[in-house]
Amino acid sequence: MTFSDSFGPLSDGASSGADAEGERASADRRTAPAPRVVTTGRKNGKTLSVDMDSGDLVELLADRRGFHAVLHPPTVDTVPPGAALIDAVAFTIVPPDERSYTWVLDELRQFMVLETIEPRRGMFGFRYSARIGDSAGVIAWGGESQRGRVYVSLMGKGCSMVNDWPGLAGWLEQHRATLKRADAAYDDFDGQMVSIAWAEAQYRGDGFNAGGRKPAHQTIGDWLDGDLSVKGRTLGIGNRASGKYCRIYEKGKQLGDPTSAWSRVEVEWRDQDRHIPYDILTRPGHYLAGAYPCLAFLNIEQSKIRTISKGAQIAFERAIENARQHCGKLVNLALDVFQGDYAEVVQRLIRPGYPGRVDPFSYHVSRSPSMLDSSLVGVA
């Protein structure tokens, strides 16, 4: 299935707002502090410096504007490449032969499932955009200043629908796409190795230091409740404006299970004066382990299906509990009215779609609803 370039133009206000956002982002990059270079390292046979603040390798490049530093994320190649999952990716690409976003969508079908395409307003300085699937991602294009570029962003749901990461990475490299963002995540379902307490201890020590200043941090959630928190806590490390940011959070509680020990650590890289390599999509474990000293221990292969199943089960159980609280008495009354006819009650109450809480997992759930049954051996 292909799509035509039929989405209409936006109002001047919407387009200018997106352009302004892009200009502000460019200004932020221009005013970002220069790396504090203090030591040397190696990358692909080149001698590079190391930025003390981020721990990234620094390459000095020259162009018509002069010299500028480009950061490269380091790796720890002794851990399994699959010791992390890609949870977000964004890139820009110029289609060949003056083609447009329709070519990009058709090409992406080699590597992932694409469902509905819903037109939206322009964004990030692009004149047009569309939502991919149901909150799986966005695609944006158009605008003279974009010089034919097409922007694609896939978040957690969209990344879980990718079935060929090596193929996607190779395709991006073949067409010289620019990775704008990549997130790598590691899940500890039992909270044995990764937890908020562990993250706090690492921050107070040198676990997140690259040898220089201690990075900034933010606390989000019900921290005053400590370990009794039921909604979950997040510890943020670094500054997103710098292009590298780490989050450690109580994933299970975030999804609605107040007793869950499931914790996640994820690092987000953006291309602010930083080169994001294509092979981060095929070796996310190497890059996540190299992001901070305290992550070098990662050694457990991550399972996309297990993560999806675990998250979907928590979301489903929470949705069932909410339904019982809000509709349980009505169901009881309906059974009396229809003399115990369960089919009639279900027929009266059923409606299309899935609860919003389950929606992030809906693509996989629709193909295997049994994954929501936590009693099945090997699923939980």
Side-chain angles (χ1 to χ4, degrees), residues 4 13 61 68 71 74 116 163 166-167 182-183 206 257-258 279 282 286-287 292 310 325:
S4 62
L61 298 179
H68 66 280
L71 302 178
T116 59
N163 50 43
D183 292 17
D206 293 324
D257 182 353
D279 69 342
T282 58
H286 289 173
Y287 286 90
Y292 298 96
K310 191 72 172 179
Q325 292 292 332

Side-chain angles (χ1 to χ4, degrees), residues 255-258 309-324 355 357-358 371-375:
L255 291 172
D257 182 353
S309 297
K310 191 72 172 179
Q313 288 166 15
I314 292 175
F316 176 67
E317 292 297 332
R318 184 63 178 174
I320 288 289
E321 177 60 23
N322 287 345
R324 189 181 73 84
R357 186 180 293 274
V358 181
M371 72 165 53
L372 297 181
D373 187 349
S374 58
S375 66

